[in-house]
Amino acid sequence: MGLPFLDSFSAAAGRGVWHADELGLADAQVIATGHAALDAELPGGGWPVGAMTELLLPAPEAHVWRLLLPALAQAVAARGGPVVLIGAPYEPCGASLAAQGLPVEALMWVRSEAPAARLWACEQALRCADVSAVVAWLPQARVGELRRLQLAAAQHEVLLFVCRPESVALSASPARLRIRADRSQADVSQIELNILKRRGPPLAAPVMLPARNERMAALLAAARLRRKLRLQQQGTVPAGAASATVVRIDAWKGGPDALDRLAVVA
């Protein structure tokens, strides 16, 4: 008498069960990343709201704005509150971000070198109803501390990104989504995104993303073409020769990844 009931219950329950070989559906709100290839590999098609997304980076400032800027602009437009940057390695260039849809008045930069202070500021920002998103650099955070932030993000339905070094890739994390971002070795014009943790099967191949947005790429290409034409007119370079262009933008400090930080300009 009991077996038919159990079979019926199992069949009904199975319809709502996620299978590990399938890309899971989002169980909460998501915000599109602004990168179609990445959206196609994420549950629900975007960054999870009310959950932690962990970004593992080769350097603290590398690729962050290239990855997050479209979603942060959307979050501000939808909620109207600020984006809180905690422990950002460089002062944001407001004019550059504003040109891409993130107004300077929507940025709040919390400066602190002390790990405990950064964690405290991050938790307080997540509890603030007016905040649209939090981006925190927490290289020394422990699992228990990250779990507390994950719970705070879930309770207050805030978009949360935590930036950490690549060296922690093999350590445990409560993050709903973990992505390692690095410059492609095969093509330096591309960023290679490895999804280390998601609700779905392992990623067959990395997601590739242009290292510069289309407007910046077009600007640099136009500058190279103008210089090449000028040199050709002066008779200093053959028509088929390649040329290089030095672009100087004083708004940012130097460093090995300065151009990555400038990719949002124009």
Side-chain angles (χ1 to χ4, degrees), residues 15 35 62 134 161 163 218 224:
R15 288 193 290 271
H35 313 293
V134 175
F161 299 97
C163 303
R224 287 194 296 269

Side-chain angles (χ1 to χ4, degrees), residues 21-261:
D21 60 347
E22 300 174 353
L23 185 62
L25 299 175
D27 53 7
Q29 179 187 357
V30 300
I31 289 184
T33 67
H35 313 293
L38 180 57
D39 286 340
E41 300 296 344
L42 300 182
W47 303 119
V49 178
M52 179 192 301
T53 294
E54 191 175 0
L55 302 177
L56 306 183
L57 308 169
E61 73 280 4
H63 317 309
V64 172
W65 290 116
R66 182 72 184 101
L67 276 175
L68 303 186
L69 184 56
L72 296 179
Q74 289 181 65
V76 169
R79 297 186 61 153
V83 172
V84 181
L85 308 175
I86 298 172
Y90 290 89
E91 180 177 355
C93 182
S96 301
L97 300 181
Q100 299 299 308
L102 185 60
V104 64
E105 59 269 19
L107 296 175
M108 182 179 296
W109 184 25
V110 179
R111 302 176 62 179
S112 177
E113 297 299 326
R118 290 190 185 187
L119 286 165
W120 180 87
C122 188
E123 193 166 358
Q124 298 308 308
L126 291 171
R127 291 177 176 175
C128 181
D130 294 332
V131 168
S132 295
V134 175
V135 184
W137 282 258
L138 305 174
Q140 299 170 327
R142 293 172 292 188
V143 173
E145 295 165 336
L146 294 174
R147 186 175 294 113
R148 194 166 67 244
L149 297 180
Q150 163 72 22
L151 291 174
Q155 290 170 357
H156 302 281
E157 297 184 345
V158 179
L159 195 61
L160 170 62
F161 299 97
V162 173
C163 303
R164 304 183 71 204
E166 288 181 320
S167 58
V168 303
L170 298 180
S171 63
S173 172
R176 177 80 59 83
L177 179 65
R178 292 186 98 191
I179 295 179
R180 183 174 61 211
D182 203 351
R183 189 65 64 92
S184 171
Q185 296 297 316
D187 183 357
V188 295
S189 69
Q190 298 285 312
I191 299 172
E192 187 175 288
L193 304 179
N194 288 277
I195 301 178
L196 305 182
K197 182 180 179 182
R198 64 172 179 171
R199 194 176 186 184
L203 198 64
V207 175
M208 306 303 291
L209 180 69
R212 304 185 186 115
N213 62 40
E214 293 181 0
R215 295 181 68 184
M216 173 58 84
L219 176 66
L220 295 179
R224 287 194 296 269
L225 179 59
R226 286 195 301 270
R227 183 175 185 273
K228 182 177 180 180
L229 291 175
R230 185 172 65 251
L231 293 175
Q232 287 177 0
Q233 291 173 355
Q234 295 171 353
T236 56
V237 62
S243 60
T245 299
V246 176
V247 178
R248 177 182 175 185
I249 303 178
D250 294 330
W252 285 95
K253 302 177 179 65
D257 293 297
L259 191 55
D260 292 333
R261 298 194 296 274

